[in-house]
Amino acid sequence: MSDANIRIPVEAKDRLAAIAAAEGLSLRAYLARLAETMLTPAERTERAEKARAALNEWNGYAPTAAEERDLDSELDRRLTQAAGL
């Protein structure tokens, strides 16, 4: 296993270290786990396409591009509301 050096603000490093410690992990182990579990944009797109196909096959759900935009806007609105912004 090779090491990599990254530069991030001290506050970010300290926050990540605190999160890792709360989960009983070293910062190195936490970052490795994070990298293994995060999806790339291409992976997210692939999953979304598979979900769309499964929904279409299961119940005929096939939103138009305009419906998807409306649903995305509604989700953004609700997330903003939930975050208290």
Side-chain angles (χ1 to χ4, degrees):
M1 177 186 311
S2 63
D3 286 335
N5 292 318
I6 59 171
R7 291 186 175 272
I8 61 173
V10 172
E11 297 82 10
K13 182 231 169 224
D14 292 344
R15 180 174 171 77
L16 289 169
I19 294 168
E23 295 190 24
L25 299 170
S26 68
L27 179 55
R28 179 185 183 138
Y30 179 76
L31 291 174
R33 186 180 75 182
L34 185 65
E36 291 171 2
T37 60
M38 296 294 294
L39 298 175
T40 66
E43 290 167 333
R44 283 194 303 273
T45 298
E46 181 182 355
R47 283 194 181 186
E49 289 169 1
K50 285 181 179 179
R52 243 183 247 110
L55 284 170
N56 187 302
E57 183 179 324
W58 176 57
N59 66 3
Y61 181 71
T64 65
E67 290 170 329
E68 285 186 13
R69 281 192 303 276
D70 290 345
L71 291 168
D72 286 344
S73 293
E74 178 63 14
L75 179 58
D76 289 344
R77 184 190 69 75
R78 290 181 185 203
L79 289 172
T80 299
Q81 183 181 22
L85 301 176

